[in-house]
Amino acid sequence: MTAPHHDLRQLQRQAGELDVRLAAARHTATSADQLVTAVVTGQGKLVDLRIDDRALYGANAQKLGLGIVEAVRNARNAARASSLPELNALFGLQPPPPVAGTAPPLPPAPLSPPPQARESVQRQAEPDDESFEEFDFLTDEEPESGGGRW
């Protein structure tokens, strides 16, 4: 009966060591426009976010939120791809990786729904609903399409 107890302690020790390695690991990724850079730990915790000054002006400012989400998502995907082989090996799901951190990054998830999904949402909108697709929330100017802000 001591064998399972011993195996459990060994697994806990290995998991603790892996957790320390993941906490120390850093994965960096950028947004597609290269204006936002995110750094996460191997556990996926955000530890640094850098925003290029160019992202704060003009059309870039309107896309800043999407750029932040994209950069963080890309960094977390890289962390996940890097840590998954070690996690699988720890739990006996596959052999240990030959070299840590060599797994290819996962492709970034799309930032917007496919066109057919957008069309179905637009068709469902009532005639008096205002579309915010062209709306600039960062200025006090009225939308060009006429009508009031609300």
Side-chain angles (χ1 to χ4, degrees):
M1 285 222 131
T2 60
H5 184 67
H6 176 63
D7 289 344
L8 178 60
R9 282 190 178 171
Q10 182 180 2
L11 184 61
Q12 287 174 329
R13 181 186 53 76
Q14 290 172 334
E17 291 169 357
L18 178 57
D19 193 46
V20 168
R21 285 195 308 273
L22 293 177
R26 297 294 184 263
H27 301 274
T28 303
T30 60
S31 58
D33 60 11
Q34 305 294 311
L35 296 177
V36 180
T37 302
V39 180
V40 300
T41 67
Q43 301 162 322
K45 294 178 183 176
L46 182 65
V47 293
D48 191 19
L49 183 68
R50 287 174 250 144
I51 300 172
D52 189 294
D53 285 340
R54 294 174 294 152
L56 303 175
Y57 302 102
N60 291 328
Q62 295 175 357
K63 300 175 189 175
L64 181 58
L66 293 174
I68 291 170
V69 170
E70 180 182 25
V72 172
R73 181 183 308 133
N74 290 344
R76 285 183 173 160
N77 284 344
R80 186 177 308 112
S82 177
S83 65
L84 192 58
E86 289 188 79
L87 288 166
N88 286 338
L90 179 65
F91 294 104
L93 299 176
Q94 69 183 29
V99 178
T102 60
L106 299 174
L111 293 177
S112 62
Q116 64 272 22
R118 285 194 301 265
E119 291 171 9
S120 67
V121 169
Q122 289 172 350
R123 274 187 253 123
Q124 293 173 2
E126 294 185 23
D128 61 345
D129 284 349
E130 183 175 351
S131 171
F132 292 99
E133 289 180 357
E134 302 289 323
F135 194 77
D136 183 359
F137 288 95
L138 301 176
T139 67
D140 290 333
E141 298 175 15
E142 292 295 323
E144 292 180 22
S145 63
R149 178 173 264 199
W150 314 115

